């Protein structure tokens, strides 16, 4: 992985299993922060991050790249509900007008 390493790894070379990260690090950190009973999950934090990126106007491709997904279709499949689809017609008209 030239120039890259895992966020959670044994020695920087192999990833730690999800359960180990959750049970040994994430859950104790939530408890220490007083958030152990709030139902917060790692996947929930991922969804929250994607929601924030979408709310700030990042495209599906940009968001997928940031989240480490090589296929934006995966982002779309799982998180499409988080992306603003309001007033689509007006945005399409504005985009078409900008091409003139």
């Amino acid at each position: 992985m030239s120039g890259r390493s895992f966020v959670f790894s044994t020695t920087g070379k192999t990833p730690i299993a999800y359960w180990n990260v959750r049970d040994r690090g994430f859950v104790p950190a939530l408890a220490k922060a007083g958030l152990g009973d709030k139902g917060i999950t790692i996947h929930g934090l991922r969804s929250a991050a994607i929601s924030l990126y979408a709310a700030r106007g990042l495209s599906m491709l940009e968001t997928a790249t940031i989240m480490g997904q090589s296929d934006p279709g995966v982002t779309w499949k799982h998180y499409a509900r988080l992306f603003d689809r309001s007033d689509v017609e007006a945005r399409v008209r504005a985009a078409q007008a900008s091409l003139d």
Side-chain angles (χ1 to χ4, degrees), residues 28-73:
L30 286 176
K32 189 172 183 176
L35 301 172
D37 61 346
K38 302 294 183 192
I40 298 169
T41 66
I42 292 172
H43 295 323
L45 292 179
R46 183 177 180 83
S47 290
I50 290 172
S51 297
L52 292 171
Y53 293 142
R56 285 167 179 69
L58 271 69
S59 71
M60 194 76 66
L61 177 59
E62 291 166 324
T63 302
T65 301
I66 290 167
M67 300 308 289
Q69 295 172 324
S70 59
D71 180 1

